[in-house]
Amino acid sequence: MPPESQAPFAPWQSPISTTDVARSGLGLGFPTVLGEEVWWEESRPAEGGRRTVVHRAADGTRRELLAAPWDARTRVHEYGGRSYAVVPGRGIVFTHHADQRLYFLEEGAEPRALTPEPELPTGLRYADLLVHEFPHGTEVWCVQERHHPDAKVSRSIVSVALPPAAQPDAVPDGRPSAIVERASGSDFYASPTISPDGEHVAYICWNHPRMPWVGTELRITSVADGRSWTIKGGVTESVLAPRWRDDRNLYLISDWSGWWNLYQIGIFGTSPLALFPAEEEFAGPLWQLGGLPYLVLEDGRLAVVHGRGDLRLGVLDPHTGVLTDVDVPYQGWMPAFSADGTVLAGIAYGPDTPRSVVRIDMVTGRVEGLRRDIPELPDVAYLPRPRAVEIEGGLGRRVHGHLYPPANPGHTADGPSPYVVFVHGGPTAHATTALSLDKAFFTSRGIGVLDVNYGGSTGYGRAYRERLRGQWGIADVEDTVAAARWLASEGLADPARIAIRGESAGGWTVMAACCASGVFAGGVSVAGVSALGPFVDATHDFESRYVEWLVGPESLYGSREPLSRADEVACPMLLMQGLADPVVPPSQSQAFADRLTARDIPCTYLTFEGEAHGFRRLETRTAALAAELSFYLQIFQ
């Protein structure tokens, strides 16, 4: 057990309330720019997490295009992604969450269905939408996910015809010619992109049991006759984000060198050309469909994100190999861009700057912040300044993290502070330094935060990602325990007041770490995985084989999963769960809570009706944060 503290912890007074945090995080995403106009997705916590599409006109006015109950959210892979596409001069096409059908919204009209009612409710889903103008008319190309009555799932790339402008009625439901299958045969598809001459479509595909950061293929299909061939990738190479340079050449991102770098390749088998070889990442993991980590500008240069950890914005000249960072007041960028000519739109952030929709004129250098995910900020003195740290883990391995010390202008820490070790989900993901009121809520109350990018995280190359291969529940636990011990050894944290919290895969690590070590005073798990067998049997198709890579054969499950080791937990725990979660079923949290309760280990289990994987509703977010703070105040006494 942790050593006893010397004095009770008294939280500092903070102006940041649970409601402030719950109302923040509008979920801005997937901008589209055409000249002076910009569109983006925006979730609304105060509206139950409903997602709409917002349009910023050339005159600067901003308008919500989809009023309730419309909800532009796709469930492909259950993690979704880009759910809309702009039809220039006419409107938008989007996926509606309630039925997952494609709809066409024209100016001054109501949305009209483009795709038929599926045989099963939400059984036909669409994502990664691409609008292309062919000589014969306008089509939407996208990834279609089909759920079959026998519970099997299949995917393909399809095209959907848009009605001509002179005929505003949508394609009638059930009309066979409305949807044309363009590529099939693989388990997963992503990133369809059509050549400038309209003759070929390039895309990414992969098969079970691989995940897209393990091994993918870049394929080309002839639009005219459907002939297909592979030009890059394989079972141990992650190829992402193809974009056309011209009719016969593509740009792409590949990690065959150990880092996601940019290349150029011909569609008929020419050798790939490295554009800027570097031990940096130029992309992130493909959890959601529709993001673009780089774009081709009008003058042939590439707007890119690159770096280790956080990704910064740069411009790469593919002819000279010169990469120049863009001088902007943002430290990090999400890998989801749009460009039109010399104008760029993206989602940017900083440690004291909210995630923002940003438009940049790459010629004049003009930078416009169009929308922030936190409308009103507290005094900057209450916001913690992250510091990148490297921690020595097991066997001398380096562990990356971001330290957020307590920050409050009215208080000064008197000795070591209580700390919470944050564990991100994924587990193949990355914790950025983007401003988070969730963290500021705690740091302004005198509770520090250490955000750990444990082995397996993205942002530090393939070798760092693969430290988790076959080691889930070991490497991640060792790294988070090492982080907690580092906090104490550096005199930053009171060793008796270090907690751990995480969501989804991070919840697994929380439970496993509380089983494996007595370093933590308590643990908070949100939608955590506790038992591998039931998880594999019940989870969605995208991750259904992921455990094979993360852990190995079923014979290892018992030694690794937290539920089998729950008798080793000696600290209090708070478990929270959405009851409509299709990714991690509620039974995972329930079983672990029951095991702790049977042993008289203090455990609070909170459930939320209607919430899925990630809390979206204002009332849920408020209640969950209040419960978490209450838990820390109790265990830190």
Side-chain angles (χ1 to χ4, degrees):
M1 293 293 290
E4 293 185 2
S5 300
Q6 297 303 309
F9 169 66
W12 299 344
Q13 293 296 311
S14 170
I16 304 173
S17 69
T18 54
T19 303
D20 292 333
V21 179
R23 290 186 181 277
S24 70
L26 289 175
L28 306 174
F30 302 109
T32 301
V33 62
L34 290 176
E36 295 289 334
E37 298 181 89
V38 183
W39 296 254
W40 62 86
E41 294 183 17
E42 183 174 306
S43 64
R44 302 285 177 80
E47 299 181 38
R50 186 181 73 87
R51 184 167 287 265
T52 186
V53 178
V54 176
H55 175 225
R56 189 262 203 179
D59 62 4
T61 57
R62 192 171 65 205
R63 182 167 63 96
E64 177 184 344
L65 298 183
L66 298 172
W70 294 105
D71 188 351
R73 183 150 48 101
T74 172
R75 287 185 57 188
V76 170
H77 296 179
E78 296 299 349
Y79 292 108
R82 179 185 290 272
S83 63
Y84 80 101
V86 174
V87 184
R90 297 184 61 186
I92 62 170
V93 176
F94 68 97
T95 298
H96 180 43
H97 181 254
D99 58 15
Q100 290 297 291
R101 299 168 73 184
L102 278 183
Y103 287 80
F104 184 28
L105 173 64
E106 291 193 271
E107 184 70 29
E110 288 295 310
R112 298 172 180 266
L114 287 176
T115 56
E117 185 77 39
E119 179 181 355
L120 298 176
T122 72
L124 288 175
R125 305 174 183 182
Y126 306 88
D128 225 341
L129 311 183
L130 168 71
V131 174
H132 191 84
E133 184 71 40
F134 290 95
H136 59 267
T138 305
E139 295 179 353
V140 180
W141 288 55
C142 57
V143 175
Q144 182 195 66
E145 183 176 272
R146 181 182 293 269
H147 292 248
H148 302 273
D150 61 0
K152 291 183 179 179
V153 182
S154 61
R155 297 170 187 84
S156 58
I157 291 178
V158 301
S159 63
V160 181
L162 283 182
Q167 301 176 16
D169 290 341
V171 177
D173 291 352
R175 179 177 173 180
S177 62
I179 301 177
V180 178
E181 188 175 89
R182 300 293 187 167
S184 62
S186 295
D187 292 331
F188 300 96
Y189 291 89
S191 309
T193 178
I194 298 172
S195 59
D197 60 10
E199 294 185 4
H200 299 94
V201 57
Y203 51 89
I204 300 300
C205 59
W206 67 97
N207 292 307
H208 282 307
R210 287 171 285 155
M211 299 299 281
W213 42 87
V214 175
T216 61
E217 296 179 1
L218 170 55
R219 290 183 64 80
I220 306 292
T221 292
S222 167
V223 173
D225 58 22
R227 290 183 302 111
S228 298
W229 61 96
T230 300
I231 63 170
K232 194 80 172 76
V235 295
T236 59
E237 179 185 1
S238 174
V239 180
L240 303 172
R243 303 297 293 171
W244 291 93
R245 179 184 182 274
D246 52 44
D247 292 336
R248 295 296 180 266
N249 294 279
L250 284 159
Y251 295 120
L252 62 101
I253 289 175
S254 168
D255 72 347
W256 78 270
S257 70
W259 297 82
W260 273 317
N261 281 189
L262 272 160
Y263 297 84
Q264 179 183 316
I265 193 171
I267 66 172
F268 296 115
T270 58
S271 297
L273 171 66
L275 301 183
F276 191 83
E279 291 188 347
E280 293 186 348
E281 303 282 46
F282 285 73
L286 194 62
W287 280 104
Q288 290 190 314
L289 300 180
L292 293 171
Y294 71 96
L295 287 167
V296 184
L297 300 175
E298 187 176 61
D299 59 7
R301 295 180 302 160
L302 306 180
V304 304
V305 287
H306 69 106
R308 293 192 182 194
D310 289 343
L311 302 177
R312 58 191 184 275
L313 177 64
V315 175
L316 173 63
D317 187 329
H319 302 291
T320 65
V322 174
L323 175 59
T324 305
D325 284 345
V326 180
D327 184 14
V328 290
Y330 302 95
Q331 284 72 55
W333 293 77
M334 306 302 292
F337 284 114
S338 173
D340 180 38
T342 60
V343 178
L344 176 75
I347 305 294
Y349 60 83
D352 53 11
T353 305
R355 287 184 179 88
S356 305
V357 179
V358 178
R359 179 186 181 276
I360 303 177
D361 188 316
M362 304 299 284
V363 174
T364 66
R366 183 186 179 198
V367 179
E368 297 178 89
L370 306 182
R371 180 69 157 161
R372 307 194 308 180
D373 74 342
I374 306 174
E376 297 295 331
L377 285 180
D379 187 323
V380 70
Y382 291 95
L383 302 179
R385 297 293 301 182
R387 174 166 66 91
V389 296
E390 285 193 6
I391 298 159
E392 184 173 335
L395 302 175
R397 295 191 303 256
R398 306 305 294 173
V399 181
H400 298 278
H402 300 293
L403 183 72
Y404 296 82
N408 186 311
H411 299 272
T412 302
D414 182 16
S417 303
Y419 261 81
V420 181
V421 176
F422 276 39
V423 187
H424 66 70
T428 307
H430 175 77
T432 72
T433 60
L435 171 62
S436 165
L437 281 192
D438 296 74
K439 294 186 180 74
F441 178 82
F442 295 116
T443 58
S444 63
R445 285 171 168 77
I447 301 172
V449 170
L450 177 57
D451 218 347
V452 181
N453 280 313
Y454 51 86
S457 301
T458 56
Y460 308 101
R462 184 170 183 127
Y464 196 82
R465 296 201 308 272
E466 295 210 332
R467 277 171 43 178
L468 206 59
R469 183 172 189 171
Q471 298 295 302
W472 197 35
I474 298 176
D476 52 324
V477 170
E478 290 178 349
D479 288 354
T480 51
V481 169
R485 289 178 173 153
W486 175 84
L487 283 169
S489 67
E490 292 290 310
L492 298 167
D494 179 344
R497 294 187 177 117
I498 302 176
I500 183 172
R501 66 97 62 206
E503 300 183 16
S504 189
W508 153 283
T509 303
V510 167
M511 289 186 279
C514 290
C515 293
S517 172
V519 72
F520 297 109
V524 177
S525 169
V526 181
V529 178
S530 69
L532 293 174
F535 172 74
V536 171
D537 292 339
T539 195
H540 58 128
D541 184 62
F542 178 62
E543 289 185 274
S544 62
R545 305 283 298 276
Y546 194 15
V547 171
E548 294 179 28
W549 188 90
L550 288 168
V551 176
E554 189 174 353
S555 60
L556 296 176
Y557 288 3
S559 64
R560 205 70 64 80
E561 61 191 14
L563 187 61
S564 297
R565 304 176 59 195
D567 289 349
E568 301 173 45
V569 176
C571 65
M573 296 199 70
L574 168 63
L575 281 65
M576 294 186 282
Q577 178 73 49
L579 293 179
D581 191 338
V583 178
V584 179
S587 57
Q588 293 280 322
S589 294
Q590 180 72 63
F592 199 75
D594 290 345
R595 187 70 62 85
L596 296 187
T597 301
R599 294 182 50 236
D600 292 326
I601 299 296
C603 178
T604 300
Y605 178 44
L606 300 180
T607 60
F608 299 94
E609 290 282 354
E611 290 287 5
H613 198 64
F615 300 154
R616 296 176 178 272
R617 298 175 178 174
L618 178 66
E619 57 271 25
T620 301
R621 289 158 62 94
T622 302
L625 187 58
E628 188 169 347
L629 175 62
S630 175
F631 177 76
Y632 295 143
L633 295 182
Q634 293 176 62
I635 66 172
F636 289 157
Q637 292 303 316

